[in-house]
Amino acid sequence: MNLRRHITFGIALPAFVALAIWSCSSDDPIIDSFSPTPYVIPDAPHFPKILNIPEDNPMTVEGVDLGRYLFYDGRLSGNTSKDLLMSCATCHIQENGFEVGIDHPKYVGGITFGLPIPDFPDGKPTPHFMLSIVNTVYNSNGYFWNGMINESNNSLGNENLGVPADSQFNFKNLESLAWLTITAPHEMNSTVERSVATINAVALYKEKFKAAFGTEEVNYDRISKAIAQFVRSIVSHNSKFHKSLRQEAELNPLEQQGHDLFFSEDADCFHCHGGSILMTTNDFFNNGKDATFDPEDHDRHFVTGDALDIGAYRAPSLINVELTAPYMHDGRFKSLDEVIDFYSEGLVYSDYVHPLMKNVRQKGVQLTENEKSALKAFLLTLTDNELIQDPQFSCPPELKEWSG
Ligand code: HEC
Ligand code: HEC
């Protein structure tokens, strides 16, 4: 079972502290030198209590810290020129709610497997638009727009990417996602050997690997585990909306009207984006954007083979939606106004539209101008300004010149 209740950490913490105190007086060199501190996901009231943390990668303060450094380290990428380095943070930008906010993020080198790509002299774009990476620790339905990284996958290592046939490359979890990204030609375009050797040569990592994993050894397993720990630590629960639930803030009348619309059958957003205060069900739906579909699309159908999933994508969390334009998996809407107009009067019928798009025959939920303004005002209360400025998630000063 890959799920672990965060309460386990709550109970484990005193035991670890006791172990650490005991270990100071012990002669055992292993325990003496290696006693990482459990990292506790902040207990955000109303958030799901089930956390998606694999048994073999429990979160520790030292692991999250190492992961933060690696997340911001462009030397993990395949580029050798300092100007072209690319890190996770090149595309997942803290100020943008860990989204990039551009049309086609891509690896900037324009070279794949040592060869130029004729069609993409400036780099090969990713097939999908960006996803934010907040609150991934609460998602057990699968990562990416189509959920292709999920726990039920068997070993699907992609030999074309030079990925070893190893459990870390099973496309099951954030650990495998980190390596997929580092080796994907349209993302960081490196190889396991190259990235491990480069990180191994950077002096500051010696202590950090030792603190996180007990020895200085750098290997792909540890790199991916640390990055995954950092990504899991990015939890957003301090938007005005979240604070209003804790009685720490109050929505103004327009925002409250939008809130009530969002959670009512009138605007009907909550069936897919509500259900919990993650502002998503993390489920997959065809939300009525198109009448025809390209069999080459990397939609949910691409993963499941089920015709009912044609044109379906994961409903993304709307937390920080103000910061993550353009919208949808293909970035077709440039603003929240366009998105709201779409749900109001722009829906397109097809045989694959999800039954929860109940008003598709009327082209949408038909909102008045006042209701549209209210809905937008509510969506703007979902911005977590504390998260986007939190030094805990920002680029470590030593890495500023390397983050890409
Ligand atoms: C070239 C830009 C780029 C870089 C570099 C990049 N990503 Fe991403 N990331 C994306 C895109 C685009 C998606 C959405 C992909 C999809 O759904 O098909 C994504 C999706 C993700 C997701 C899934 C989020 C979810 O909720 O499903 C995670 C997690 C993630 N990236 C982590 C990372 C990490 C860790 C790194 C560094 C090792 C990284 N990314 C580097 C572009 C990038
Ligand atoms: C039937 C489920 C469903 C309903 C109902 C629904 N959505 Fe969505 N929503 C989705 C899916 C699925 C996506 C992603 C689709 C894609 O990328 O192609 C999405 C995407 C979005 C996005 C873009 C987010 C991003 O980061 O790109 C916004 C904003 C949004 N919805 C707002 C709303 C609002 C406001 C309502 C109510 C008026 C609503 N949704 C109703 C399923 C739904």
Side-chain angles (χ1 to χ4, degrees), residues 97-116:
F98 291 99
E99 248 253 25
V100 70
I102 58 162
D103 277 4
H104 279 288
K106 62 193 174 194
Y107 172 75
V108 285
I111 290 179
T112 295
F113 307 128
L115 300 169

Side-chain angles (χ1 to χ4, degrees), residues 265-278:
E265 299 290 337
D266 291 343
D268 198 16
C269 314
F270 72 107
H271 285 121
C272 307
H273 294 287
S276 78
I277 63 167
L278 299 176

